[in-house]
């Protein structure tokens, strides 16, 4: 056996010759060692683009889940291992929707523990036979990862249970979090062994692997990566209590596509991204997208389906037919209501039993006629809460049967022993109603299975004595807190906590007319049969392909450390502004136009004050003194305030109120860029804004000479955003016949005269300089928000016009790495001031060598 310390799994599986050469090695092999791996930077795994030549022509999907879709047991005779597909695994079933031309590779853990000395042989066998790559986790690490962080922290929290006391999930344990990160890193290493990053798609499943996207994105910046969460995603009030809330959000955002079962789950996720990361989302042509450092992270909302072919094959089994006949005889003359749930605290078994008790108390005629069969599957977790649920269930069943039972009749039949699949199917077939009263569940496919089984087949119709030509019927009573509820519009939806309402729903399901039951069944069957697991998988893959469509069009690079890593994706021509580059251009040019946005250049990032930084004003003054410079400051502030703040800058040009007022220098008069006959529209707009200010705590109105601004920066972000949308619509309606523009910005809604924007300042500056015989050969324009994009557009358009020198150096520069019409970016305002200081020093040095007559300067402010 070749040692796995120097050979990857594909070499072993396909007979490749082991080699130590790093240049010839196709897939990197990362050894798995027991213990915790660091959460921070992986020094041996630098970010790379996917530029390696592809050796795989067939489209491949790498499906990553906590568990491989395999059953495993050890032979007792030769101590070997026997493996087979787990037909019940969703990861295996979804393969039907990917197409025969898609090769599928699975990465995950085995359900059985494999001794270290057998792991190499098992890994080779699984890859050769099943195309499965196992991740072998040391038992202690697995316990901390799965039973620790996943089941003690994530699973309860995602199901709305807060750790209010040590008995309820336990306090946050940093060591469990480190184990979670370590296991995700091991899974990433396994994916890296087999991935062809140029061609392969990676689909990660569920909350066990939420930080895996970060490790994969860090290694391959353009990896085609989708993630689907099979559990609920809690509201922001619940999720924000998690100490590692931002790390998980940022990790998920390293995916290209994130899938959820329902809109509620997606909405909660988007709200968390808005409140905790300051990200906004928008819908374009039916697709919801989050802009994240130049990448668009798509959101997919589609509930998973079931594998109908598997159910139908089991329905056709002779064993199923025999079991149905047995159950028909056992419950002859009785109406069976069925519940199928795991024995855990969120499935609401006890609430269902209490509702059954209430039904028998209120409707005594049902005693002896109605039976609730409760199938209780083993809980997936463990702990005291599971034991308490089991104890409460047994006690409630005993009390109900003692109170309402009679010889030969138990109103509640509790089945807590493992059933064969065909046996469970048989219960579906004979049940008149299926009850799901979970208090919180990600999806729950029990109602879907029930619908298909109630459709039955011809043999089962004969066994039950039904006419095959008659429409089938079924009834569903489902909790409104489960993922499948929105898609089952014909079900009776209930609040499981309301025992009386659940009992009434059960009674309604019993007395509903046959025709109504048939209509509801037909509606459900039509939906479930067309939205199966293959449809779900096919739809997800199509959206993933769309989400990854522009990978090669953009230039990508990674920033950040540890779990704060993210990829910035920008236009290939968008690059960082080099100080050396701009200084060289500055020194060789003679007619320089400089436009600066106030907020992005002269304010301290960490300060709440809007007063300009003294040091920045000094540097600005130095730039203005250079006769080769024309410097303009553009701002949204009013002209009175700007006059006071920059009274010391005699040669500084100022544009106030986003360009409505312009003053070329300190001793000149203020001019208006456009003519506005009157501002009577303010009498219409201001009362409307006051109404929204009174109803939105944290909002305020800024009254300017040319505009009105409603600011909600200090309001609740969600409520403020909602109110801003309403205000925007309201103002557009009442001002429809006025010559004004109503627009939304960053935490503002503004009403201003039509045609006023910062682009007017740029046009004014270039035209004025040309008229004075100073055709600009150097243009620097810096801004940081959407209003500055108008300046960038004018500057870039001017490169092909008569207002710039044919050899002009043009630097349109935004602050921060984000989508922009600018071609350059700088990291922050500190970097801008350093650059200005270097430019000012260059001017001072040039003036000492060859003094020249003084000229004029102009600046830009937000």
């Amino acid at each position: 056996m070749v040692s796995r310390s120097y050979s990857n799994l594909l070499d072993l599986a396909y007979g490749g010759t082991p080699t130590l050469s790093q240049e010839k090695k196709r897939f990197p092999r990362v050894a798995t060692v027991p213990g915790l791996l660091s959460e921070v930077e992986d020094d041996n795994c630098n970010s790379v683009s996917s530029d390696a030549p592809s050796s795989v022509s067939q489209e491949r999907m790498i499906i990553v889940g906590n568990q491989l879709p395999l059953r495993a047991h050890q032979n007792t005779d030769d101590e070997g291992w026997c493996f087979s597909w787990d037909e019940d695994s969703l990861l295996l079933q979804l393969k039907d929707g990917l197409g025969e031309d898609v090769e599928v590779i699975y990465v995950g853990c085995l359900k059985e523990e494999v001794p270290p000395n057998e792991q190499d042989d098992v890994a080779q066998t699984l890859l050769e036979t099943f195309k499965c790559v196992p991740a072998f986790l040391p038992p202690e690490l697995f316990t901390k990862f799965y039973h620790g962080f996943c089941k003690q922290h994530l699973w309860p929290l995602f199901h709305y249970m807060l750790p209010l006391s040590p008995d309820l999930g336990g306090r946050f344990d940093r060591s469990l979090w480190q184990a979670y990160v370590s296991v995700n890193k091991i899974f990433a290493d396994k994916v890296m062994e087999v991935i062809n990053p140029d061609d392969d798609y990676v689909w990660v499943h569920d909350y066990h692997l939420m930080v895996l996207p970060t490790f994969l994105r860090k290694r391959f910046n353009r990896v085609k990566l989708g993630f689907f969460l099979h559990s609920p995603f809690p509201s922001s009030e619940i999720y924000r209590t998690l100490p590692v809330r931002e790390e998980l959000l940022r990790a998920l955002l390293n995916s290209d596509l994130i899938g959820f079962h329902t809109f509620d789950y997606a909405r909660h996720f988007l709200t968390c991204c808005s409140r905790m990361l300051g990200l906004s989302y928008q819908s374009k042509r039916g697709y919801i997208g989050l802009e994240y450092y130049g990448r668009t992270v798509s959101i997919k909302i589609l509930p998973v389906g079931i594998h109908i072919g598997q159910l139908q094959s089991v329905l056709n089994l002779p064993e199923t037919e025999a079991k149905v006949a047995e159950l028909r005889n056992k419950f002859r003359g009785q109406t069976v209501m069925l519940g199928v749930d795991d024995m855990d605290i969120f499935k609401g078994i006890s609430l269902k039993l209490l509702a059954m008790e209430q039904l028998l108390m209120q409707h005594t005629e049902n005693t002896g006629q109605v039976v609730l069969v409760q199938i209780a599957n083993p809980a997936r977790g463990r702990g005291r809460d599971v034991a308490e649920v089991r104890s409460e269930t047994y006690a409630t069943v005993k009390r109900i049967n003692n109170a309402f039972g009679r010889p030969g009749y138990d109103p509640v039949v509790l089945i807590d022993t493992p059933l064969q699949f065909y046996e469970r199917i048989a219960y579906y077939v004979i049940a008149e109603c299926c009850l799901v009263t979970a208090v919180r569940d990600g999806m729950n496919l029990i109602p879907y299975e029930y619908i298909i089984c109630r459709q039955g087949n011809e043999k089962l119709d004969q066994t039950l004595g039904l006419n095959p030509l008659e429409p089938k019927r079924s009834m569903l009573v489902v909790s409104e807190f489960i993922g499948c509820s929105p898609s089952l519009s014909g079900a009776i939806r209930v609040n499981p906590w309301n025992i009386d309402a659940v009992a009434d729903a059960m009674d309604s399901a019993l007395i509903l007319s046959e025709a109504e039951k048939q209509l509801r069944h037909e509606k459900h069957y039509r939906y479930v049969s067309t939205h199966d697991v293959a449809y779900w998988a096919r739809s997800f893959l199509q959206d993933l392909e769309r989400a990854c469509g522009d990978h090669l069009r953009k230039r990508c690079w990674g920033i950040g450390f540890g779990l704060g890593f993210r990829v910035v994706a920008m236009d290939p021509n968008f690059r960082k502004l080099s100080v050396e580059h701009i200084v060289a251009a500055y020194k060789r040019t003679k007619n320089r136009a400089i436009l600066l946005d106030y907020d992005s250049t002269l304010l301290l990032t960490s300060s709440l004050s809007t007063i300009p930084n003294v040091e920045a004003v000094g540097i600005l003054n130095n730039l203005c003194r250079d006769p080769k410079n024309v410097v303009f400051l553009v701002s949204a502030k009013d002209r009175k305030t700007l006059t006071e703040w920059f009274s010391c800058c005699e040669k500084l040009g100022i544009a106030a109120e986003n360009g409505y007022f312009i003053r070329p220098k300190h001793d000149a008069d203020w001019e208006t860029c456009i003519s506005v006959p009157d501002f009577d529209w303010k009498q219409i707009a201001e009362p409307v804004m006051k109404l929204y200010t009174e109803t939105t705590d944290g909002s305020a109105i800024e009254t300017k000479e040319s505009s009105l601004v409603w600011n909600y920066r200090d309001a609740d972000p969600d409520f403020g955003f909602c109110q801003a949308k309403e205000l925007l619509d309201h103002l557009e309606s009442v001002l429809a016949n006025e010559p004004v523009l109503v627009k939304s910005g960053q935490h503002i809604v503004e009403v201003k005269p039509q045609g006023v924007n910062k682009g007017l300042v740029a046009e004014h500056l270039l035209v004025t300089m040309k008229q004075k015989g100073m055709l600009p050969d150097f243009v620097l324009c810096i801004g940081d928000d959407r209003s500055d994009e108008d300046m960038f557009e004018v500057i870039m358009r001017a490169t092909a016009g008569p207002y710039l020198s044919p050899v002009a150096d043009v630097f349109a520069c935004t602050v921060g790495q984000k989508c922009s019409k600018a071609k350059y970016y700088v990291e922050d305002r500190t970097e801008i001031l350093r650059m200005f200081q270097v430019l000012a020093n260059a001017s001072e040095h040039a003036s000492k060598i060859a003094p020249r007559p003084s000229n004029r300067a102009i600046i830009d402010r937000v």
Side-chain angles (χ1 to χ4, degrees):
M1 180 69 186
V2 178
S3 171
R4 57 178 179 163
S5 63
Y6 65 89
S7 178
N8 65 61
L9 290 178
L10 292 185
D11 289 337
L12 295 175
Y14 301 113
T17 303
T19 175
L20 293 175
S21 172
Q22 294 297 317
E23 296 179 354
K24 296 181 180 180
K25 192 171 181 180
R26 178 63 186 90
F27 299 110
R29 182 68 179 97
V30 183
T32 301
V33 294
L36 297 178
L37 300 177
S38 172
E39 173 185 334
V40 296
E41 199 78 352
D42 177 15
D43 295 332
N44 296 324
C45 199
N46 297 324
S47 299
V48 297
S49 59
S50 309
D51 296 324
S54 172
S55 61
V56 182
S57 57
Q58 183 181 14
E59 185 175 359
R60 293 201 311 177
M61 170 74 80
I62 300 176
I63 297 177
V64 191
N66 178 45
Q67 290 185 342
L68 290 171
L70 295 173
R71 291 191 175 98
H73 67 270
Q74 198 166 14
N75 298 325
T76 55
D77 49 359
D78 59 359
E79 298 185 355
W81 287 89
C82 182
F83 299 97
S84 61
W85 288 115
D86 182 0
E87 301 292 340
D88 297 331
S89 172
L90 175 67
L91 300 188
L92 180 64
Q93 294 173 356
L94 66 82
K95 187 177 179 180
D96 288 357
L98 302 181
E100 296 181 357
D101 57 333
V102 178
E103 178 187 2
V104 177
I105 296 178
Y106 293 100
V107 177
C109 294
L110 288 168
K111 299 176 184 178
E112 303 294 332
E113 183 180 344
V114 178
N117 62 331
E118 300 179 23
Q119 291 177 4
D120 283 329
D121 292 332
V122 168
Q124 180 176 352
T125 299
L126 293 183
L127 190 60
E128 288 177 339
T129 309
F130 300 96
K131 294 184 179 178
C132 290
V133 179
F136 298 111
L137 305 179
E140 181 181 355
L141 181 61
F142 176 80
T143 299
K144 287 186 175 182
F145 156 70
Y146 184 76
H147 296 291
F149 193 77
C150 290
K151 289 301 181 182
Q152 288 183 26
H153 292 312
L154 288 183
W155 190 74
L157 188 77
F158 279 25
H159 289 77
Y160 286 72
M161 188 173 79
L162 292 174
L164 299 177
S165 71
D167 295 334
L168 297 174
R171 304 303 188 196
F172 183 79
D173 188 337
R174 181 65 60 173
S175 68
L176 301 183
W177 163 246
Q178 291 172 345
Y180 182 83
V181 173
S182 297
V183 170
N184 277 250
K185 179 64 170 61
I186 291 174
F187 271 74
D189 294 340
K190 291 298 179 181
V191 173
M192 291 175 195
E193 291 175 1
V194 294
I195 190 173
N196 176 20
D198 285 333
D199 303 317
D200 295 348
Y201 290 89
V202 181
W203 188 357
V204 181
H205 289 264
D206 222 2
Y207 63 93
H208 314 89
L209 302 171
M210 291 177 71
V211 300
L212 177 58
T214 288
F215 292 119
L216 294 178
R217 183 71 63 189
K218 181 181 176 184
R219 182 66 178 88
F220 304 111
N221 290 169
R222 291 189 176 92
V223 63
K224 303 170 184 177
L225 178 58
F227 180 93
F228 198 95
L229 183 67
H230 293 274
S231 76
F233 195 94
S235 65
S236 62
E237 287 74 17
I238 298 294
Y239 180 80
R240 70 198 306 175
T241 63
L242 187 64
V244 290
R245 59 190 188 181
E246 291 190 12
E247 289 89 331
L248 290 179
L249 287 179
R250 293 192 183 280
L252 287 178
L253 290 173
N254 276 318
S255 306
D256 293 298
L257 177 66
I258 305 174
F260 300 92
H261 287 306
T262 72
F263 172 70
D264 278 346
Y265 303 161
R267 176 169 55 85
H268 293 160
F269 173 76
L270 294 171
T271 301
C272 288
C273 289
S274 172
R275 288 177 173 268
M276 297 167 205
L277 302 180
L279 302 177
S280 60
Y281 67 92
Q282 56 184 343
S283 178
K284 291 183 179 180
R285 298 183 178 179
Y287 297 104
I288 300 175
L290 273 166
E291 290 299 322
Y292 188 60
Y293 290 91
R295 295 173 50 246
T296 299
V297 181
S298 297
I299 304 299
K300 174 77 172 176
I301 302 170
L302 183 66
V304 69
I306 59 176
H307 196 288
I308 297 177
Q310 180 194 26
L311 279 176
Q312 291 175 338
S313 64
V314 176
L315 285 170
N316 292 327
L317 292 176
E319 295 92 335
T320 304
E321 184 180 349
K323 186 64 178 180
V324 169
E326 176 191 333
L327 295 177
R328 179 202 60 186
N329 295 330
K330 179 178 179 179
F331 296 107
R332 188 178 298 275
Q334 296 176 337
T335 300
V336 176
M337 307 184 84
L338 178 66
V340 181
D341 305 277
D342 293 343
M343 187 76 82
D344 70 48
I345 58 176
F346 296 112
K347 300 303 181 183
I349 296 178
S350 61
L351 299 176
K352 186 187 308 177
L353 296 175
L354 292 175
M356 180 65 180
E357 185 178 34
Q358 187 83 346
L359 175 70
L360 296 175
M361 291 173 59
Q362 293 179 346
H363 303 276
T364 55
E365 69 276 7
N366 289 324
T367 303
Q369 303 297 317
V370 178
V371 177
L372 172 62
V373 177
Q374 177 62 55
I375 300 175
N377 302 318
R380 300 181 187 182
R382 62 190 185 187
R384 194 169 73 177
D385 55 346
V386 175
E388 290 176 350
V389 169
R390 186 180 295 110
S391 176
E392 181 185 10
T393 300
Y394 292 154
T396 307
V397 170
K398 183 178 180 181
R399 184 180 73 243
I400 295 173
N401 287 340
N402 289 340
F404 301 96
R406 61 181 64 165
Y409 169 70
D410 285 329
V412 179
V413 177
L414 178 64
I415 302 174
D416 60 352
T417 55
L419 293 179
Q420 296 290 331
F421 190 34
Y422 76 87
E423 294 178 300
R424 176 154 61 95
I425 295 298
Y427 278 101
Y428 285 143
V429 173
I430 60 106
E432 289 293 321
C433 178
C434 182
L435 307 172
V436 181
T437 56
V439 297
R440 189 70 61 179
D441 207 350
M443 184 59 194
N444 200 313
L445 296 174
I446 298 300
Y448 286 12
E449 294 178 349
Y450 169 71
I451 292 298
I452 297 300
C453 293
R454 287 291 289 177
Q455 186 70 15
N457 57 39
E458 193 170 326
K459 288 186 178 180
L460 292 177
D461 288 343
Q462 294 176 359
T463 303
L464 295 172
L466 301 177
N467 183 354
L469 300 180
E470 289 185 358
K472 301 299 189 296
R473 63 182 186 273
S474 64
M475 278 303 300
L476 284 170
V477 176
V478 301
S479 165
E480 62 189 52
F481 301 121
I482 63 176
C484 67
S485 175
S487 60
L488 298 171
S489 56
I492 302 177
R493 297 192 183 99
V494 294
N495 174 5
W497 299 103
N498 189 337
I499 304 301
D500 292 333
V502 178
D504 290 343
M506 294 168 68
D507 182 58
S508 298
L510 292 173
I511 65 176
L512 212 61
S513 68
E514 298 296 305
E516 182 67 19
K517 292 179 181 179
Q518 291 170 358
L519 286 174
R520 293 177 184 237
H521 173 81
E522 181 183 356
K523 185 175 187 178
H524 290 157
Y525 181 74
R526 186 164 55 248
Y527 175 83
V528 174
S529 60
T530 56
H531 292 74
D532 61 355
V533 65
Y535 172 86
W536 172 75
R538 184 165 54 251
S539 178
F540 189 90
L541 178 57
Q542 289 173 352
D543 277 13
L544 181 58
E545 291 174 342
R546 176 190 55 79
C548 301
D550 63 347
H551 274 197
L552 297 179
R553 186 178 60 82
K554 293 186 176 181
R555 188 165 58 95
C556 301
W557 66 94
I559 60 174
F561 298 94
L563 293 179
F565 175 85
R566 60 269 190 203
V567 166
V568 178
M570 292 296 169
D571 185 276
N573 296 322
F574 186 73
R575 56 189 181 274
K576 186 172 182 178
L577 183 58
S578 165
V579 175
E580 293 77 10
H581 184 195
I582 194 171
V583 169
Y586 186 86
K587 289 180 177 179
R588 67 172 175 261
T589 51
K590 297 180 180 180
N591 297 314
R592 310 183 190 114
I594 303 176
L595 293 109
L596 307 175
D597 170 65
Y598 171 75
D599 286 343
S600 62
T601 56
L602 302 185
L603 288 183
L604 295 176
T605 307
S606 58
S607 175
L608 295 177
S609 173
T610 58
I611 299 176
N613 176 266
V614 176
E615 179 188 1
V617 173
I619 297 174
L620 186 61
N621 230 342
N622 292 335
L623 286 175
C624 293
R625 292 192 185 103
D626 191 327
K628 298 179 181 179
N629 295 342
V630 178
V631 186
F632 241 99
L633 182 70
V634 183
S635 173
K637 298 292 183 183
D638 61 89
R639 54 180 175 172
K640 179 180 177 182
T641 300
L642 294 175
T643 300
E644 294 174 357
W645 284 354
F646 297 98
S647 58
C648 62
C649 301
E650 297 182 357
K651 297 181 179 180
L652 174 65
I654 299 178
E657 299 190 17
N658 286 333
Y660 181 74
F661 293 110
I662 290 181
R663 190 186 68 182
K665 61 181 179 178
H666 182 67
D667 57 358
D669 295 329
W670 287 96
E671 305 171 2
T672 57
C673 277
I674 61 174
S675 176
V676 178
D678 60 67
F679 291 92
D680 293 343
W681 54 266
K682 285 187 177 182
Q683 300 175 14
I684 303 173
E686 191 166 12
V688 176
M689 286 189 173
K690 285 182 177 179
L691 173 64
Y692 284 82
T693 303
E694 292 171 359
T695 57
T696 310
D697 187 37
S699 65
I701 301 175
E702 299 176 27
T703 302
K704 302 177 182 179
E705 292 184 65
S706 67
S707 65
L708 288 174
V709 179
W710 187 74
N711 188 316
Y712 63 96
R713 183 171 285 105
D714 296 326
D716 177 270
D718 287 335
F719 184 58
F721 179 75
C722 179
Q723 290 289 81
K725 289 182 64 177
E726 289 294 325
L727 176 59
L728 186 71
D729 291 341
H730 196 160
L731 290 173
E732 286 179 340
S733 175
V734 299
L735 297 173
N737 297 321
E738 300 293 334
V740 295
L741 175 66
V742 184
K743 62 178 295 185
S744 62
Q746 190 170 11
H747 301 112
I748 65 167
V749 174
E750 183 180 19
V751 184
K752 61 183 180 179
Q754 291 178 349
V756 175
N757 60 67
K758 292 183 179 180
L760 292 177
V761 184
E763 291 178 358
H764 176 84
L765 174 60
L766 297 180
V767 171
T768 302
M769 290 185 68
K770 182 184 179 184
Q771 290 174 349
K772 294 184 177 182
M774 300 173 58
L775 197 63
D777 54 4
F778 175 97
V779 179
L780 172 62
C781 180
I782 299 181
D784 70 340
D785 66 17
R786 281 188 290 178
S787 63
D788 299 313
E789 296 296 315
D790 294 322
M791 287 196 300
F792 298 149
E793 184 177 7
V794 169
I795 293 299
M796 299 309 299
R797 189 171 62 238
T799 56
Y803 297 103
L804 291 180
S805 167
V807 293
D809 293 299
V810 178
F811 302 93
C813 181
T814 188
V815 181
Q817 303 176 36
K818 56 180 179 286
C819 291
S820 173
K821 295 176 182 176
K823 297 301 181 183
Y824 297 91
Y825 75 91
V826 291
E827 295 290 354
D828 51 36
R829 298 167 187 174
T830 303
E831 190 172 320
I832 293 175
L833 290 180
R834 285 200 300 264
M835 180 179 66
F836 284 171
Q837 184 63 67
V838 174
L839 296 181
N841 292 341
S843 291
E844 185 178 357
H845 179 71
S847 65
K848 290 180 180 179
I849 298 176
R852 303 188 180 199
S854 83
N855 235 336
R856 185 178 308 166
I858 309 177
I859 279 195
D860 157 337
R861 144 171 189 156
V862 171

